[in-house]
Amino acid sequence: MRSVWVIAGALACLATAPARAEDPIVIKFSHVVAPDTPKGKAAEKLRQLVEERTHGRVKVEVYPNSQLYKDKEELEALQLGAVQMLAPSVSKFGPLGIKEFEAFDLPYIFPSVEALRRVSDGPIGKSLFKKLEPKGILGLGYWDNGFSVITANKPIHKLEDFKGLKMRIQSSKVLEATYRSLGALPQVLAFSEVYQALQTGVVDGGENTPSNIYTQKFHEVQKYLTVSDNTYIGYALIVNKKFWEGLPADIRGELDSAVKEATAYCNSIAEQENRDALAKIKASGTVEFYVLSTQEKAEWRKGLLKVHDEMAPRIGKDLIEAIYKETGVSATQ
Ligand code: LMR
């Protein structure tokens, strides 16, 4: 059924391709989060920049909140050309057969945003983007969201508290292994399905960034929130390779510079956006807050590091070692 929609979208797209030379080139940019998030704001920034710089020769249509497609369908739609641009969380490339991106999901792999940036903006980030190309996808930049917090319908202070809880995860084997290692029951759900699943008790909790939790109102259907910073959530800004490479060179030049600027913008606002969202969740008074102390965080990290080893055969030991080298922190520290 999903594929039918994707194909229908692709056909609709062909039908709206520029008929005359003066018609603008349309870039459909689909994403699953709210406009008022780091990704949503950066998508809007990119739209403005592109339209300004190309003097309207290129029109970016942004479709937030899974309006067009849900998580996995998005990637199919991009490959088929029904949309031209996406910014999925890097956790979501596993089902495409590109497992290495799941390295980003390893618990506590990045000690800071700066360390993450050295990985994504350096040779590792570039080599990961190369892996997208045989799938007809081009990676243009890494967009930040931030580190996750846990929400649940019971207090989570220690790793033992996860036992038996049904936890929503993104479609990542690393996240699955993480929650299994805690005796929890991980359940993959599309982002657009999370609110209802939390509300109806299909799942007991989940992990996400404050900006995603606040804008989707997850905190209104959860009782507890733990500031744990256990998983990094970030995005790959990607395009349909054939479409992008087929654009006139002058237009591509303008688009490349707009992408660069929108990427810098996203990465400059993400931390503050999440801080603000966390404060708003707190002010709403709907959830009881628990902030892990430095000592507790170190215990969580220690308890979860075995997932790095367990996932090495899937992700690649060399890749994990290369990330440790770049961040300066290894599983043994
Ligand atoms: C999620 O599915 O939880 C997030 O990756 C959604 C997003 O794109 O931030």
Side-chain angles (χ1 to χ4, degrees):
M1 186 61 189
R2 282 177 177 183
S3 299
V4 172
W5 282 112
V6 172
I7 291 164
L11 292 175
C13 172
L14 286 178
T16 56
R20 294 160 307 179
E22 66 271 22
D23 284 346
I25 296 166
V26 175
I27 297 179
K28 290 190 172 166
F29 183 170
S30 165
H31 69 81
V32 301
V33 298
D36 194 16
T37 54
K39 175 161 61 179
K41 288 186 174 181
E44 177 56 22
K45 176 75 150 186
L46 183 62
R47 184 191 70 71
Q48 283 168 13
L49 289 170
V50 166
E51 294 185 6
E52 254 165 52
R53 297 209 177 145
T54 64
H55 306 287
R57 284 173 73 200
V58 179
K59 196 166 171 296
V60 179
E61 294 174 358
V62 181
Y63 298 93
N65 271 325
S66 313
Q67 247 174 67
L68 284 187
Y69 301 106
K70 292 194 216 172
D71 300 6
K72 192 166 146 276
E73 300 164 22
E74 270 195 339
L75 285 168
E76 282 174 33
L78 185 82
Q79 287 179 302
L80 280 165
V83 291
Q84 290 70 37
M85 185 176 272
L86 305 173
S89 128
V90 295
S91 307
K92 292 175 182 167
F93 288 118
L96 266 194
I98 312 168
K99 305 160 190 162
E100 292 85 346
F101 278 96
E102 290 176 4
F104 285 89
D105 299 332
L106 288 167
Y108 293 107
I109 187 136
F110 301 115
S112 63
V113 175
E114 293 70 33
L116 163 270
R117 188 88 59 237
R118 287 200 294 280
V119 173
S120 57
D121 291 354
I124 298 176
K126 285 198 181 68
S127 74
L128 289 174
F129 273 168
K130 275 266 164 258
K131 293 185 189 294
L132 294 171
E133 293 187 21
K135 307 280 176 194
I137 298 172
L138 214 56
L140 301 182
Y142 289 94
W143 285 12
D144 261 355
N145 191 336
F147 292 98
S148 64
V149 302
I150 307 281
T151 61
N153 56 16
K154 64 167 267 201
I156 306 280
H157 297 182
K158 297 188 181 325
L159 291 181
E160 295 81 70
D161 297 331
F162 284 101
K163 221 176 173 71
L165 285 193
K166 287 173 280 173
M167 295 295 288
R168 181 269 169 172
I169 55 165
Q170 302 188 67
S171 64
S172 154
K173 294 290 177 205
V174 167
L175 297 176
E176 193 179 318
T178 300
Y179 284 98
R180 283 210 192 289
S181 80
L182 299 172
L185 306 162
Q187 303 212 359
V188 175
L189 286 175
F191 186 63
S192 57
E193 292 161 358
V194 179
Y195 179 88
Q196 207 187 356
L198 292 171
Q199 189 184 37
T200 56
V202 166
V203 289
D204 301 306
E207 58 168 47
N208 227 309
T209 58
S211 58
N212 276 347
I213 292 169
Y214 182 71
T215 52
Q216 299 298 325
K217 302 190 187 348
F218 295 163
H219 59 294
E220 293 182 5
V221 287
Q222 294 275 264
K223 292 201 174 76
Y224 298 92
L225 183 151
T226 305
V227 179
S228 51
D229 295 328
N230 52 302
T231 312
Y232 170 77
I233 297 178
Y235 310 110
L237 179 68
I238 54 176
V239 285
N240 177 296
K241 185 170 184 286
K242 201 164 160 212
F243 166 80
W244 198 255
E245 290 176 345
L247 292 170
D250 60 329
I251 286 193
R252 265 237 323 266
E254 297 294 0
L255 294 183
D256 284 338
S257 86
V259 161
K260 235 180 166 166
E261 204 172 315
T263 299
Y265 170 75
C266 186
N267 295 344
S268 73
I269 63 166
E271 239 178 317
Q272 189 60 43
E273 289 284 320
N274 280 302
R275 262 200 291 271
D276 292 349
L278 195 65
K280 286 186 209 158
I281 296 170
K282 195 165 193 180
S284 77
T286 58
V287 283
E288 196 176 306
F289 261 57
Y290 188 76
V291 182
L292 293 187
S293 66
T294 311
Q295 165 77 18
E296 286 170 319
K297 217 189 258 186
E299 280 162 20
W300 277 43
R301 183 171 179 275
K302 198 159 163 242
L304 287 168
L305 281 179
K306 57 177 182 284
V307 178
H308 293 210
D309 279 344
E310 190 190 330
M311 286 289 108
R314 177 174 168 89
I315 291 166
K317 199 170 169 27
D318 291 353
L319 173 58
I320 297 177
E321 291 292 338
I323 294 176
Y324 292 157
K325 204 161 160 221
E326 206 67 75
T327 61
V329 184
S330 78
T332 52
Q333 285 166 306

